[in-house]
């Protein structure tokens, strides 16, 4: 599904990712952990195509396609979804309008007609229920005045609407209370299927109790320093990152 | 004394030639005389004048200042190439008064009799000019040099609307004035004129539109005076959608008495070169003025606005909000000045001026200016000019929106809070459609409307 080979990414001339290799198969959930500043968000942004994230070496294939050759909106339409660590507030752009525009952009790309207004509302309502979100959020500006946790739920709501083939969730669990964490995890689990893959960036092994990953990777200084299964997350929880950093050095 | 400029000389000459045909009922001969004398000495503003740097004044060299001869327009009903179909749809509840090249056209109007409301064509009521001088003549100081275009209107005006709202009258959904410019700037100028008097405790909703039918290269010079008495309240919507090659000048002077409220909503989209000079004086205690302006410029357009809010009386409140977008090779400017005079203690004044640059060759300039001569004031001022927010843009792209739609959406969002202040739903919809059209994506934005 997603194949990252020897990826080097620079931001403002500074190399952040220094030869990252990662293989995410269809239907798999990969958790990426690692110390602050190790490059997790950089990886997420580079995959989503954020301007300013310069690919200096390496290759990323998504399905059959060279992901890095696609514009950000094309990646999204191909089924890549980024849940932002810090979702931006866009006052004046209606939340429900964005949902609909995003859904229709993806449908158009697949040669499908625009979603019927009635059907669309039904769909949104259903997904909002999963996310325990009040319908009042629909008519507000995108993330405008949302609390930290509400923003994260809104990200997952968008993901549920768009049903991406690859969801990259950058610390979607940060800032959530315990109930919200379960709601978000439930949202992600709803999406899990043999043809969808998820990359979860997280600092907390607790999330992985609810979304059980197939693999756990530790990113240190721009490279994957260690990979394992769920037990690696438990070990990190006990021991921290130092031992891996030292090994990697 | 310096010799009059060539432009001033031409104005004086054109005025002398037209003078016999200018109706005395609209502006008395003495007032016309004095206006032309002042212009002869001062000339029109030039780009060297402090508050005129950004206006495009060059086209004035080529325009004809004289309006259509009075007898020609008296008979013009039958000749008019302007039809009802050329006008925007009416807005329910608003009586319409249409003026073509500054002259009232009953056939294109839909007046309504309402208790306490009097709307008369200035030329139909010769006595009125003597009774009620316009607001800028009521001021304690003489009209500022920035009001020279109003003098030009005074010198040449051939008609206009005189509106009087009797004390205590409640008419929040009331009057629509439509000013149609029709003649080419080299044939005849158009002088829309409004004299509005709202008496104590009255409420008025007024829509004022400016558009072009026929030639899109008009010379229009509007003068509006607004006089709001004690405790009265006015919602004034102004929509400028002149033709693509129109030269549009405008002077609005308002004086607010004690506890008067004025909401001025300006939307400026049209014209090749447009300039509004707005002067709002808070003359009475606790007067309250809100000025909300949206300007869009594209291609070679110049959209220039100068707003002076003059706090004379104590405890008055004012708010200015400006949102402007400049694309193409356009220049969009807003110069918002607040003067808090000695004695205006307890003033509360706010400004939020924001400009958006939507192209590498576009120009935008927002300038807040403050002059405070008293201690006890609350003033907050914000002014920014910049490009679209990259984070917002990327967020929308990451959801699959194409860059053009994402940009238009953000431009739309940028204007949204000011447009939302338009309290007449039908008018707001019309304006939203015009804005969407100007942002060149009516289709993609249609669901927002
Ligand atoms: N524009 C920039 N110029 C220089 N360095 C940058 C720039 N942007 C990001 N960085 C650096 O890149 C490194 C990686 O940042 P990134 O946001 O990817 O970390 P992260 O692993 O997501 O951290 P966290 O766990 O705190 O979210 C950091 O050291 C950061 O300071
Ligand atoms: Mg991060």
């Amino acid at each position: 599904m997603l194949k990252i080979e020897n990826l080097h990414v620079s931001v403002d001339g500074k190399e952040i990712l220094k030869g990252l290799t990662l293989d995410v198969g269809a239907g798999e959930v990969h958790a990426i952990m690692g110390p602050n500043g190790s490059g997790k968000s950089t990886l997420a942004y580079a995959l989503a195509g954020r301007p300013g994230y310069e690919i200096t070496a390496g290759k990323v294939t998504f399905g059959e396609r060279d992901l890095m050759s696609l514009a950000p909106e094309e990646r999204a339409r191909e089924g890549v979804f980024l849940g932002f660590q810090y979702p931006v507030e866009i006052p004046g752009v209606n939340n429900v309008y964005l949902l609909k525009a995003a859904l229709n952009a993806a449908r158009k790309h697949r040669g499908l007609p625009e979603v019927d207004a009635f059907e669309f509302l039904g769909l949104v309502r259903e997904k909002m229920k999963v996310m325990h979100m009040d319908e009042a959020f629909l008519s507000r500006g995108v993330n405008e005045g949302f609390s930290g946790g509400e923003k994260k739920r809104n990200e997952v709501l968008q993901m549920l609407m768009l049903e991406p083939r690859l969801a990259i969730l950058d610390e979607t669990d940060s800032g959530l209370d315990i109930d919200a964490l379960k709601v978000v995890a439930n949202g992600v689990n709803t999406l899990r299927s043999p043809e969808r893959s998820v990359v979860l960036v997280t600092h907390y092994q607790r999330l992985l109790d609810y979304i059980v990953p197939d693999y756990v990777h530790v990113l240190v200084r721009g490279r994957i320093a260690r990979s394992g299964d769920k037990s690696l997350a438990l070990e990190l929880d006990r021991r921290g990152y130092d031992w891996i950093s030292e090994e990697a050095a | 004394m310096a010799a009059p400029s060539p432009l001033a000389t031409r104005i004086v000459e054109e005025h002398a030639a037209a003078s016999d045909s200018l109706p005395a009922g609209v502006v008395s001969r003495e007032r016309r005389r004095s206006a032309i004398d002042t212009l002869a000495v001062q000339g029109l503003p030039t780009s060297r004048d402090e508050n005129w740097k950004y206006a495009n004044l060059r086209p004035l060299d080529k325009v004809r200042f004289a309006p259509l001869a009075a007898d020609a327009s008296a008979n013009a009903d039958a000749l008019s190439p302007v039809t009802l179909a050329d006008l925007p749809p009416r807005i329910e509840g608003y009586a319409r008064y249409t003026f073509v090249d500054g002259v009232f056209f009953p056939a294109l109007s839909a007046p309504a009799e309402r208790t306490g409301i009097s709307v008369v064509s200035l030329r139909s009521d010769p006595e009125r000019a003597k009774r009620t001088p316009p607001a800028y003549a009521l001021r304690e100081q003489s009209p500022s040099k920035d009001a020279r275009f109003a003098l030009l209107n005074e010198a040449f005006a051939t008609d206009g609307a005189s509106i009087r709202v009797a004390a205590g009258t409640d008419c929040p959904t009331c009057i629509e004035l439509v000013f149609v410019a029709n003649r080419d700037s080299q044939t005849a100028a158009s002088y829309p004129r409004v004299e509005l008097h709202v008496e104590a405790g009255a409420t008025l909703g007024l829509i004022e539109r400016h558009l072009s039918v026929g030639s899109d290269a008009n010379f229009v010079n509007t003068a509006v005076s607004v006089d709001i008495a004690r405790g009265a309240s006015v919602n004034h919507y102004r929509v400028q959608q002149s033709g693509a090659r129109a030269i549009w000048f405008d002077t609005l002077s308002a004086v607010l008495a004690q506890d008067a409220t004025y909401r001025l909503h300006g939307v400026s989209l049209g014209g090749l070169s447009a300039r509004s000079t707005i002067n709002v004086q808070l003359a009475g205690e606790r007067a309250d003025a809100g000025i909300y302006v949206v300007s869009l410029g594209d291609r070679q357009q110049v959209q220039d606005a100068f707003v002076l809010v003059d706090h004379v009386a104590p405890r008055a409140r004012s708010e200015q909000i400006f949102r402007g977008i400049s694309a193409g090779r356009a220049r969009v400017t807003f110069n918002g000045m607040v003067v808090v005079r000695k004695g205006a203690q307890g003033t509360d004044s706010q400004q939020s001026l924001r400009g958006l640059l939507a192209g590498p060759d576009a120009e935008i300039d927002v300038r807040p200016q403050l002059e405070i001569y008293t201690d006890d004031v609350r003033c907050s001022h914000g002014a920014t000019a910049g490009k679209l927010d990259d984070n917002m843009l990327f967020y929308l792209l990451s959801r699959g929106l194409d860059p053009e739609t994402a940009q238009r959406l953000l431009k739309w969002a940028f204007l949204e809070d000011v447009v939302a202040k338009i309290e007449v739903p039908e008018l707001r919809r019309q304006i939203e459609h015009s804005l969407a059209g100007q942002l060149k994506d009516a289709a993609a934005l249609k669901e927002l409307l």
Side-chain angles (χ1 to χ4, degrees):
Chain A
M1 165 84 54
L2 178 72
K3 215 172 159 58
I4 306 172
E5 293 164 81
N6 187 33
L7 183 65
H8 289 251
V9 174
S10 292
V11 184
D12 279 341
K14 184 182 166 202
E15 181 162 76
I16 313 285
L17 297 187
K18 304 169 181 169
L20 186 144
T21 297
L22 181 67
D23 212 329
V24 180
E28 293 175 358
V29 173
H30 289 237
I32 296 188
M33 307 183 80
N36 294 133
S38 56
K40 303 181 296 296
S41 294
T42 303
L43 172 64
Y45 284 142
L47 292 175
R50 187 179 192 123
Y53 287 69
E54 197 196 341
I55 317 299
T56 52
K59 198 169 168 219
V60 181
T61 36
F62 177 58
E64 299 295 298
R65 309 200 58 164
D66 171 12
L67 192 65
M68 295 305 169
S69 70
L70 302 178
E73 67 277 12
E74 293 169 331
R75 301 182 196 194
R77 293 172 200 164
E78 282 286 325
V80 176
F81 179 89
L82 169 62
F84 285 72
Q85 183 174 3
Y86 304 108
V88 61
E89 298 194 16
I90 316 183
V93 174
N94 194 275
N95 213 20
V96 73
Y97 177 83
L98 174 60
L99 280 174
K100 200 167 173 191
L103 188 62
N104 280 332
R107 287 177 67 96
K108 193 173 163 197
H109 183 68
R110 277 182 253 140
L112 297 171
E114 292 206 344
V115 62
D116 165 82
F118 187 75
E119 204 181 308
F120 172 76
L121 266 177
L123 199 62
V124 179
R125 292 215 170 100
E126 178 198 320
K127 308 294 186 196
M128 291 191 95
K129 226 177 251 156
V130 176
M131 295 315 297
H132 294 221
M133 283 173 81
D134 194 287
E135 278 183 33
F137 285 108
L138 286 179
S139 52
R140 285 168 67 175
V142 173
N143 294 321
E144 186 182 3
F146 287 24
S147 77
E150 287 165 354
K151 283 179 184 163
K152 299 299 177 75
R153 286 187 207 212
N154 201 36
E155 294 291 286
V156 179
L157 173 71
Q158 293 179 13
M159 180 190 79
L160 292 183
M161 289 298 292
L162 295 173
E163 301 187 319
R165 285 195 289 152
L166 172 68
I168 305 157
L169 300 175
D170 191 359
E171 295 201 29
T172 303
D173 56 330
S174 294
L176 294 182
D177 65 44
I178 296 154
D179 292 337
L181 186 70
K182 287 184 192 164
V183 168
V184 163
N186 181 38
V188 176
N189 286 329
T190 311
L191 195 82
R192 272 182 99 154
S193 81
E195 62 278 4
R196 295 183 211 292
S197 310
V198 180
V199 174
L200 284 178
V201 174
T202 184
H203 284 296
Y204 305 106
Q205 99 81 28
R206 193 205 308 263
L207 176 71
L208 307 181
D209 285 342
Y210 300 107
I211 309 172
V212 182
D214 300 297
Y215 299 93
V216 174
H217 310 277
V218 183
L219 190 57
V220 177
R221 290 189 293 275
R223 280 195 201 98
I224 304 278
R226 180 176 282 252
S227 298
D229 62 8
K230 187 178 178 293
S231 63
L232 176 57
L234 289 166
E235 191 175 359
L236 292 170
D237 216 32
R238 278 201 320 275
R239 299 178 60 190
Y241 291 118
D242 284 352
W243 60 284
I244 295 182
S245 301
E246 280 155 23
E247 275 179 25
Chain B
M1 190 169 34
S5 68
L7 199 59
T9 306
R10 193 153 65 77
I11 290 170
V12 171
E13 283 168 9
E14 286 195 39
H15 188 261
S19 137
D20 283 347
S21 68
L22 295 170
V26 176
V27 178
S28 70
R29 275 185 194 287
E30 300 72 55
R31 290 227 322 263
R32 289 195 196 272
R33 184 76 260 149
S34 120
I36 216 73
D37 287 348
T38 307
L39 286 172
V41 176
Q42 298 185 351
L44 285 175
T46 72
S47 44
R48 285 185 302 277
D49 285 272
E50 175 59 18
N51 297 321
W52 294 85
K53 282 209 276 273
Y54 296 104
N56 181 11
L57 299 159
R58 267 174 289 122
L60 292 172
D61 293 337
K62 295 205 197 80
V63 307
R64 185 172 146 81
F65 289 98
L68 216 56
D71 47 350
S73 41
N75 200 7
D77 244 280
L79 301 171
S80 169
V82 181
T83 69
L84 279 174
D86 295 319
L87 306 183
R90 281 189 57 200
I91 291 177
E92 203 184 326
Y94 285 80
R96 173 175 282 186
Y97 300 83
T98 301
F99 296 75
V100 176
D101 290 325
V103 177
F104 181 52
F105 263 60
L108 298 174
S109 301
E113 287 293 322
R114 285 197 175 104
T115 329
I117 308 281
S118 138
V119 184
V120 292
S121 146
L122 288 171
R123 64 194 302 165
S124 73
D125 184 8
E127 290 308 301
R128 183 218 40 83
K130 292 177 192 145
R131 285 197 311 269
T132 50
Y136 49 79
L138 297 172
R139 280 160 200 281
E140 45 182 72
Q141 87 280 34
S142 59
S144 87
K145 285 187 82 178
D146 290 320
R148 277 174 283 172
F149 278 94
L151 293 180
L152 189 65
N153 180 293
E154 182 123 330
F156 283 109
T158 46
D159 200 356
S162 165
I163 303 172
R164 183 170 283 279
V165 182
T169 305
D170 190 30
C171 200
T173 299
C174 209
I175 296 166
E176 184 195 33
L177 303 173
V178 181
F179 291 100
V180 180
N182 184 231
R183 308 290 155 156
D184 193 89
S185 63
Q186 304 190 354
T187 313
S190 164
Y191 291 97
R193 188 174 174 86
V194 181
E195 296 177 10
L196 171 63
H197 294 269
V198 183
E199 294 178 355
T203 305
L204 174 73
L206 172 67
I207 297 170
E208 176 193 340
R209 297 177 187 270
H210 294 267
L211 51 123
S212 303
V213 173
S215 168
D216 67 352
N218 329 105
F219 172 52
V220 180
N221 180 26
T222 302
V224 176
S225 84
V226 177
D227 167 22
I228 309 177
R230 194 171 173 146
S233 163
V234 175
N235 255 324
H236 188 176
Y237 299 98
R238 309 184 82 209
V239 189
Q240 191 272 102
Q241 290 183 285
S242 312
R245 290 182 296 151
I247 314 301
W248 196 83
F249 282 86
D250 167 49
T251 314
L252 180 145
S253 303
V255 178
L256 278 63
Q258 187 177 318
D259 295 307
T261 303
Y262 186 40
R263 295 284 175 267
L264 176 62
H265 304 257
V267 177
S268 193
L269 303 176
L272 174 65
S273 173
R275 154 74 182 216
S276 261
T277 305
I278 292 170
N279 184 336
V280 176
Q281 189 173 84
L282 299 152
E285 198 164 340
R286 292 181 303 275
D288 182 344
I291 298 162
Y292 312 113
V293 178
V294 169
S295 302
L296 293 192
D298 201 349
R299 303 178 308 275
Q300 314 267 353
Q301 276 181 297
V302 175
Q303 296 278 5
D304 179 35
F306 172 75
V307 175
L308 168 64
V309 173
D310 189 1
H311 279 266
V312 177
R315 285 169 285 284
R317 211 186 73 87
S318 70
E319 179 181 41
Q320 293 177 47
I321 303 183
F322 169 73
R323 298 288 181 266
I325 302 182
S326 187
R329 305 176 53 84
R331 178 161 81 219
V332 175
T333 60
F334 185 93
N335 187 348
M337 187 164 180
V338 176
V339 176
V340 182
R341 301 219 207 168
K342 209 168 161 166
Q345 66 273 12
T347 287
D348 180 342
S349 162
Q350 316 213 355
Q351 270 183 320
S352 159
L353 316 179
R354 293 176 60 195
L356 182 63
L357 263 180
D361 299 319
E363 187 183 333
I364 198 129
D365 196 82
V366 294
R367 255 205 306 175
Q369 288 179 203
L370 251 177
E371 281 178 26
I372 302 181
Y373 302 102
T374 188
D375 291 336
D376 170 25
V377 296
R378 265 189 41 208
C379 292
S380 82
H381 299 260
T384 59
K387 294 191 290 188
L388 286 175
D389 185 296
D390 286 337
N391 291 326
M392 294 186 189
L393 207 51
F394 176 64
Y395 190 87
L396 296 178
L397 298 181
S398 79
R399 298 307 181 239
L401 275 63
D402 62 79
E404 291 72 27
T405 305
Q407 286 181 14
R408 280 163 197 150
L409 211 50
L410 291 178
K411 287 182 197 168
W412 185 262
F414 177 80
L415 303 174
E416 221 274 330
D417 52 341
V418 177
V419 176
K421 288 190 185 293
I422 298 172
E423 285 169 13
V424 183
E426 187 54 36
L427 180 67
R428 189 173 62 233
R429 251 190 306 280
Q430 288 180 7
I431 288 172
E432 284 172 343
H433 272 107
S434 304
L435 292 171
Q438 184 116 345
L439 297 177
K440 292 196 206 96
D441 197 25
L445 291 171
K446 69 178 189 295
E447 295 186 52
L448 291 172
L449 310 181

Short mmCIF file of all heavy atoms in Angstrom, two decimals, chain A residues 11-12 14 16 34-43 45 53 85-86 170-171 201 203 219, ligand 1:
data_model
loop_
_atom_site.label_atom_id
_atom_site.label_comp_id
_atom_site.label_asym_id
_atom_site.label_seq_id
_atom_site.Cartn_x
_atom_site.Cartn_y
_atom_site.Cartn_z
N VAL A 11 13.57 20.84 5.65
CA VAL A 11 12.69 21.99 5.84
C VAL A 11 13.58 23.21 6.05
O VAL A 11 14.47 23.18 6.91
CB VAL A 11 11.78 21.80 7.08
CG1 VAL A 11 10.81 22.96 7.20
CG2 VAL A 11 11.04 20.48 7.00
N ASP A 12 13.34 24.24 5.27
CA ASP A 12 14.18 25.44 5.35
C ASP A 12 15.66 25.10 5.30
O ASP A 12 16.47 25.64 6.07
CB ASP A 12 13.88 26.23 6.65
CG ASP A 12 12.64 27.09 6.51
OD1 ASP A 12 12.23 27.35 5.36
OD2 ASP A 12 12.07 27.47 7.55
N LYS A 14 17.13 22.57 6.33
CA LYS A 14 17.62 21.70 7.39
C LYS A 14 17.08 20.29 7.20
O LYS A 14 15.87 20.10 7.05
CB LYS A 14 17.17 22.26 8.74
CG LYS A 14 17.72 21.48 9.93
CD LYS A 14 17.19 22.05 11.24
CE LYS A 14 17.46 21.07 12.37
NZ LYS A 14 16.57 21.27 13.51
N ILE A 16 15.64 16.96 8.09
CA ILE A 16 14.90 16.44 9.26
C ILE A 16 14.77 14.92 9.16
O ILE A 16 15.05 14.20 10.10
CB ILE A 16 13.49 17.06 9.38
CG1 ILE A 16 13.56 18.59 9.21
CG2 ILE A 16 12.83 16.66 10.68
CD1 ILE A 16 14.09 19.35 10.36
N GLY A 34 8.18 8.20 19.16
CA GLY A 34 9.51 8.79 19.13
C GLY A 34 9.53 10.11 19.86
O GLY A 34 8.49 10.74 20.05
N PRO A 35 10.73 10.52 20.27
CA PRO A 35 10.84 11.75 21.07
C PRO A 35 10.38 12.99 20.30
O PRO A 35 10.32 12.98 19.08
CB PRO A 35 12.34 11.83 21.38
CG PRO A 35 13.01 10.70 20.71
CD PRO A 35 12.00 9.85 20.04
N ASN A 36 10.10 14.04 21.05
CA ASN A 36 9.74 15.33 20.45
C ASN A 36 10.84 15.76 19.48
O ASN A 36 12.02 15.62 19.78
CB ASN A 36 9.60 16.42 21.51
CG ASN A 36 8.43 16.17 22.45
OD1 ASN A 36 8.56 16.26 23.66
ND2 ASN A 36 7.29 15.82 21.88
N GLY A 37 10.41 16.24 18.35
CA GLY A 37 11.38 16.77 17.40
C GLY A 37 12.09 15.72 16.57
O GLY A 37 13.01 16.02 15.83
N SER A 38 11.66 14.46 16.68
CA SER A 38 12.38 13.41 15.94
C SER A 38 11.98 13.37 14.47
O SER A 38 12.66 12.74 13.67
CB SER A 38 12.14 12.05 16.61
OG SER A 38 10.75 11.79 16.69
N GLY A 39 10.87 14.02 14.11
CA GLY A 39 10.51 14.09 12.69
C GLY A 39 9.19 13.42 12.35
O GLY A 39 8.89 13.21 11.16
N LYS A 40 8.38 13.11 13.34
CA LYS A 40 7.13 12.39 13.08
C LYS A 40 6.16 13.25 12.25
O LYS A 40 5.61 12.79 11.25
CB LYS A 40 6.46 11.99 14.42
CG LYS A 40 7.38 11.13 15.30
CD LYS A 40 6.72 10.71 16.59
CE LYS A 40 6.37 11.87 17.50
NZ LYS A 40 7.54 12.63 18.00
N SER A 41 5.97 14.51 12.69
CA SER A 41 5.07 15.38 11.93
C SER A 41 5.65 15.70 10.56
O SER A 41 4.92 15.83 9.58
CB SER A 41 4.81 16.68 12.69
OG SER A 41 4.09 16.40 13.87
N THR A 42 6.96 15.79 10.51
CA THR A 42 7.60 16.05 9.23
C THR A 42 7.27 14.94 8.24
O THR A 42 6.96 15.20 7.07
CB THR A 42 9.13 16.15 9.43
OG1 THR A 42 9.38 17.17 10.39
CG2 THR A 42 9.84 16.48 8.13
N LEU A 43 7.31 13.72 8.72
CA LEU A 43 6.96 12.59 7.87
C LEU A 43 5.50 12.71 7.41
O LEU A 43 5.18 12.55 6.22
CB LEU A 43 7.16 11.27 8.64
CG LEU A 43 6.64 10.01 7.94
CD1 LEU A 43 7.41 9.76 6.63
CD2 LEU A 43 6.74 8.78 8.85
N TYR A 45 3.60 15.39 7.19
CA TYR A 45 3.45 16.51 6.24
C TYR A 45 4.03 16.16 4.87
O TYR A 45 3.45 16.49 3.83
CB TYR A 45 4.14 17.76 6.77
CG TYR A 45 3.39 18.46 7.88
CD1 TYR A 45 4.07 19.03 8.95
CD2 TYR A 45 2.00 18.57 7.84
CE1 TYR A 45 3.40 19.68 9.96
CE2 TYR A 45 1.33 19.23 8.86
CZ TYR A 45 2.02 19.79 9.91
OH TYR A 45 1.36 20.44 10.90
N TYR A 53 8.28 21.26 2.34
CA TYR A 53 8.91 20.01 2.78
C TYR A 53 9.57 19.38 1.57
O TYR A 53 8.94 18.70 0.76
CB TYR A 53 7.88 19.08 3.43
CG TYR A 53 7.49 19.60 4.79
CD1 TYR A 53 6.74 20.77 4.91
CD2 TYR A 53 7.92 18.97 5.96
CE1 TYR A 53 6.44 21.29 6.17
CE2 TYR A 53 7.61 19.47 7.20
CZ TYR A 53 6.87 20.63 7.30
OH TYR A 53 6.58 21.15 8.53
N GLN A 85 -1.82 17.35 13.61
CA GLN A 85 -1.50 17.48 15.03
C GLN A 85 -2.14 18.76 15.58
O GLN A 85 -2.66 18.77 16.68
CB GLN A 85 0.02 17.50 15.23
CG GLN A 85 0.43 17.57 16.70
CD GLN A 85 1.94 17.45 16.89
OE1 GLN A 85 2.72 17.36 15.93
NE2 GLN A 85 2.37 17.44 18.13
N TYR A 86 -2.06 19.81 14.78
CA TYR A 86 -2.69 21.08 15.18
C TYR A 86 -3.64 21.56 14.07
O TYR A 86 -3.24 22.35 13.23
CB TYR A 86 -1.62 22.15 15.44
CG TYR A 86 -0.60 21.74 16.47
CD1 TYR A 86 0.70 21.43 16.09
CD2 TYR A 86 -0.95 21.64 17.81
CE1 TYR A 86 1.65 21.04 17.02
CE2 TYR A 86 -0.01 21.25 18.76
CZ TYR A 86 1.29 20.94 18.36
OH TYR A 86 2.21 20.55 19.29
N ASP A 170 -1.78 12.25 13.07
CA ASP A 170 -0.66 12.82 13.81
C ASP A 170 -1.12 13.27 15.20
O ASP A 170 -1.73 14.31 15.35
CB ASP A 170 -0.07 14.00 13.02
CG ASP A 170 1.26 14.47 13.60
OD1 ASP A 170 1.71 13.90 14.62
OD2 ASP A 170 1.84 15.41 13.03
N GLU A 171 -0.82 12.46 16.17
CA GLU A 171 -1.19 12.75 17.57
C GLU A 171 -2.66 13.11 17.73
O GLU A 171 -3.01 14.06 18.42
CB GLU A 171 -0.31 13.87 18.13
CG GLU A 171 1.15 13.44 18.21
CD GLU A 171 1.95 14.29 19.19
OE1 GLU A 171 1.36 14.77 20.16
OE2 GLU A 171 3.16 14.43 18.98
N VAL A 201 0.55 8.34 14.61
CA VAL A 201 1.65 8.95 15.35
C VAL A 201 1.14 9.20 16.76
O VAL A 201 0.09 9.83 16.93
CB VAL A 201 2.10 10.27 14.70
CG1 VAL A 201 3.15 10.95 15.57
CG2 VAL A 201 2.64 10.02 13.30
N HIS A 203 2.26 9.50 21.25
CA HIS A 203 3.21 9.46 22.36
C HIS A 203 2.77 8.49 23.44
O HIS A 203 3.50 8.22 24.37
CB HIS A 203 3.36 10.85 22.98
CG HIS A 203 4.20 11.77 22.17
ND1 HIS A 203 5.54 11.57 21.93
CD2 HIS A 203 3.89 12.92 21.52
CE1 HIS A 203 6.02 12.54 21.19
NE2 HIS A 203 5.03 13.39 20.92
N LEU A 219 10.83 6.42 15.89
CA LEU A 219 11.55 7.35 15.03
C LEU A 219 12.51 8.16 15.91
O LEU A 219 12.10 8.74 16.91
CB LEU A 219 10.54 8.28 14.35
CG LEU A 219 11.00 9.19 13.24
CD1 LEU A 219 11.63 8.37 12.12
CD2 LEU A 219 9.82 9.97 12.68
N1 LIG C 1 11.09 25.44 9.36
C1 LIG C 1 11.94 24.72 10.10
N2 LIG C 1 13.25 25.06 10.17
C2 LIG C 1 14.11 24.35 10.91
N3 LIG C 1 13.76 23.28 11.62
C3 LIG C 1 12.48 22.90 11.60
C4 LIG C 1 11.50 23.58 10.83
N4 LIG C 1 10.33 22.97 10.99
C5 LIG C 1 10.55 21.93 11.82
N5 LIG C 1 11.84 21.90 12.19
C6 LIG C 1 12.47 20.94 13.11
O1 LIG C 1 12.25 19.65 12.65
C7 LIG C 1 12.29 18.76 13.74
C8 LIG C 1 11.19 17.75 13.60
O2 LIG C 1 9.93 18.37 13.83
P1 LIG C 1 8.60 17.53 13.86
O3 LIG C 1 7.50 18.49 14.00
O4 LIG C 1 8.57 16.63 12.69
O5 LIG C 1 8.79 16.69 15.19
P2 LIG C 1 7.80 15.66 15.86
O6 LIG C 1 8.51 14.36 15.90
O7 LIG C 1 6.48 15.70 15.22
O8 LIG C 1 7.74 16.24 17.35
P3 LIG C 1 6.52 16.29 18.40
O9 LIG C 1 6.51 14.99 19.09
O10 LIG C 1 6.92 17.37 19.33
O11 LIG C 1 5.27 16.60 17.66
C9 LIG C 1 12.23 19.60 14.99
O12 LIG C 1 13.50 19.64 15.57
C10 LIG C 1 11.84 20.96 14.48
O13 LIG C 1 12.37 21.98 15.27
#
